[in-house]
């Protein structure tokens, strides 16, 4: 039985909102869904509905009328450490095909690896049909960290998927493995046409590599892919992703190991990319988005990133890119995902509060 408490926002009921001061003036933060357990991602459905993933393996459907149910039909999921049911992607052609994509930790005996499934959401939103795992990473492991696992639809309809190093640091430089990479695949899971040729031993779906644990990914307003990724002790990064580029982990980094020891060879090396921005100390970045400016024109093109460690939403702007604002309240406790809604409102998932919130102009 679902334990959710919903504010019937989608049905137009009166809302209780908390005011919050920002650089764009007062905004209102409204809890839309409460009672979530380790929420990881939210996706918007045409007509006002929502899909929400919980890391322990539940997919929740919230209808436009405020009805809610647990979606059935998922394959076995390994709730292992940081792994479980992770990102949800509702593609642009959902109205025509009713297909969705989910990333998850796929069990392989006692091991698990990042995987992607494609499924059709039933008309009533209560079940998945035609479920097929279209991609599974090489060499799953029993380690419970660094699944990465953000999904982004490129403008040409192909999919980007982020995978962390899975706790095996050198593997992020091994092009024969998926660890520590951004992949580009088709909707059938095959390598996408036009992927970089990184050598005879390289896996053909690798788009970029040398990443530690990219837990946020989004397209900017020009359609370019960006990711954020966790450093170790310091050195969380924002990177603009270039085809075939090496982002350096674990050879270069701006942080240190948790033991305090030095990482790799320093902060730079020829042939390896520099971050566009980095945080020290680490903020533990997760979900991210570039804002369209629909409701707040002064924020058009700005990057918003959720912090799991310091309980705020970072707004980044400028050239060079830098953090210019911390948007925080009790609602922003461990922000796992952040998305722009169809009307330009800003939605975010708080792990600490177990809730989905919507931010609107005051």
């Amino acid at each position: 039985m679902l334990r959710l408490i919903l504010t019937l926002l989608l049905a137009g009921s009166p809302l209780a909102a908390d005011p919050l001061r920002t650089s764009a003036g007062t905004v209102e933060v409204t809890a839309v869904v409460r009672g979530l357990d380790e929420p990881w991602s939210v996706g918007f459905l045409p007509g006002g509905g929502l899909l929400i993933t919980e890391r322990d393996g539940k997919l929740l459907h919230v209808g436009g009328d405020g009805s809610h149910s647990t979606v059935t039909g998922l394959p076995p999921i390994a709730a292992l450490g940081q792994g479980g049911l992770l990102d949800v992607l509702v593609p642009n052609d959902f109205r025509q095909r009713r297909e969705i994509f989910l990333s998850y930790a796929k069990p392989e005996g006692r091991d698990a690896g990042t995987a992607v499934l494609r499924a059709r959401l039933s008309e009533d939103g209560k079940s998945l049909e035609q479920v097929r795992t279209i991609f599974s990473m090489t060499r799953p492991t029993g380690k419970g960290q660094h699944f990465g696992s953000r999904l982004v639809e490129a403008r040409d309809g192909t999919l980007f998927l982020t995978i962390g190093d899975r706790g095996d640091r050198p593997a992020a430089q091994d092009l024969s493995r998926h660890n520590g990479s951004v992949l580009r695949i088709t909707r059938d899971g095959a390598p996408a046409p036009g992927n970089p040729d990184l050598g005879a031993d390289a896996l053909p779906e690798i788009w970029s590599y040398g990443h530690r644990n990219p837990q946020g990914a989004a397209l900017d307003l020009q359609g370019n892919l960006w990711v954020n990724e966790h450093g170790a002790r310091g050195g969380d990064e924002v990177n603009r992703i270039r085809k075939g580029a090496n982002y350096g982990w674990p050879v270069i980094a701006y942080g240190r190991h948790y033991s305090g020891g030095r990482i790799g060879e320093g902060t730079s090396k020829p042939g390896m990319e520099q971050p566009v921005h980095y945080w020290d100390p680490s903020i533990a970045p997760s979900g991210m988005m570039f804002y369209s400016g629909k409701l707040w024109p002064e924020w058009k093109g700005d990057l918003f990133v959720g912090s799991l460690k310091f309980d705020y939403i970072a707004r980044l702007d400028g050239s060079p890119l830098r953090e210019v604002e911390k948007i925080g309240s009790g609602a922003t406790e461990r922000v796992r995902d952040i998305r722009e809604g169809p009307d330009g409102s800003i939605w975010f998932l708080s792990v600490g509060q177990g809730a989905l919130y919507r931010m609107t102009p005051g």
Side-chain angles (χ1 to χ4, degrees):
M1 182 176 180
L2 282 180
R3 63 206 172 283
L4 302 184
I5 302 172
L6 285 90
T7 303
L8 297 186
L9 170 67
L10 306 177
S13 298
L15 302 175
D18 294 324
L20 175 64
R21 292 292 302 172
T22 74
S23 61
T26 301
V27 301
E28 293 183 345
V29 178
T30 305
V32 181
V33 183
R34 295 186 183 274
L36 298 170
D37 183 14
E38 285 289 329
W40 216 91
S41 180
V42 59
F44 299 99
L45 297 168
L50 301 168
L51 292 173
I52 302 171
T53 61
E54 293 183 328
R55 192 166 53 80
D56 66 358
K58 291 185 180 66
L59 176 62
L60 308 174
H61 173 261
V62 181
D65 60 355
S67 61
H68 53 89
S69 60
T70 298
V71 182
T72 62
L74 287 168
I77 291 169
L80 172 67
Q82 298 170 359
L85 183 60
L86 301 171
D87 210 5
V88 58
L89 170 64
V90 180
N92 291 324
D93 64 356
F94 177 83
R95 285 187 186 273
Q96 291 74 46
R97 305 173 69 165
R98 293 198 65 82
E99 283 185 348
I100 65 168
F101 296 86
L102 294 160
S103 65
Y104 71 106
K106 179 184 176 184
E108 304 275 0
R110 295 183 177 181
D111 298 332
T114 302
V116 178
L117 70 82
R118 185 185 70 210
R120 184 182 183 277
L121 183 67
S122 64
E123 293 292 338
D124 61 6
K126 294 183 178 181
S127 64
L128 297 180
E129 304 164 350
Q130 303 170 26
V131 179
R132 178 188 167 202
T133 294
I134 61 169
F135 168 83
S136 300
M137 72 174 292
T138 56
R139 305 192 209 176
T141 174
K143 294 182 178 181
Q145 67 264 49
H146 301 180
F147 287 84
S149 216
R150 286 295 173 189
L151 285 165
V152 175
E153 182 181 17
R155 287 186 172 178
D156 64 0
T158 59
L159 308 180
F160 289 110
L161 168 68
T162 71
I163 300 181
D165 67 11
R166 297 292 283 107
D168 183 350
R169 293 191 292 269
Q173 292 292 321
D174 183 351
L175 291 170
S176 70
R177 301 176 66 179
H178 290 125
N179 304 52
S181 61
V182 175
L183 310 182
R184 180 169 165 259
I185 58 176
T186 69
R187 290 172 67 138
D188 292 324
N195 279 359
D197 182 0
L198 295 173
D201 296 330
L203 295 169
E205 52 271 16
I206 292 178
W207 186 257
S208 66
Y209 62 104
H211 301 283
R212 184 174 183 268
N213 188 27
Q215 281 197 6
L219 300 182
D220 64 20
L221 302 190
Q222 292 73 46
N224 304 302
L225 180 68
W226 297 62
V227 304
N228 68 53
E229 52 190 286
H230 289 226
R233 212 172 81 183
D236 293 348
E237 296 181 357
V238 175
N239 286 301
R240 179 175 172 175
I241 301 304
R242 293 194 307 108
K243 175 180 176 179
N246 180 354
Y247 288 82
W249 178 259
V251 181
I252 60 172
Y254 280 88
R256 287 185 170 268
H257 292 300
Y258 294 116
S259 65
R262 182 181 176 185
I263 296 174
E265 302 175 18
T267 58
S268 65
K269 186 173 182 176
M272 295 183 175
E273 300 295 312
Q274 286 290 298
V276 178
H277 175 79
Y278 71 91
W279 286 275
D280 191 4
S282 296
I283 70 164
S286 193
M288 62 186 277
M289 66 152 195
F290 286 89
Y291 186 62
S292 73
K294 187 178 288 187
L295 295 182
W296 294 279
E298 57 268 62
W299 287 347
K300 183 176 181 177
D302 290 359
L303 176 62
F304 289 75
V305 176
S307 168
L308 291 165
K309 183 176 181 180
F310 292 127
D311 302 336
Y312 69 91
I313 297 169
R315 183 172 68 86
L316 294 91
D317 188 19
S319 183
L321 189 72
R322 61 188 181 90
E323 183 180 279
V324 296
E325 184 173 11
K326 297 177 181 179
I327 299 172
S329 70
T332 58
E333 184 181 358
R334 289 184 57 80
V335 176
R336 173 65 73 182
D337 199 11
I338 183 165
R339 309 270 177 155
E340 180 175 346
D343 63 353
S345 55
I346 295 174
W347 298 60
F348 60 93
L349 282 171
S350 164
V351 177
Q353 295 291 333
L356 172 66
Y357 293 91
R358 187 178 85 146
M359 192 164 74
T360 54

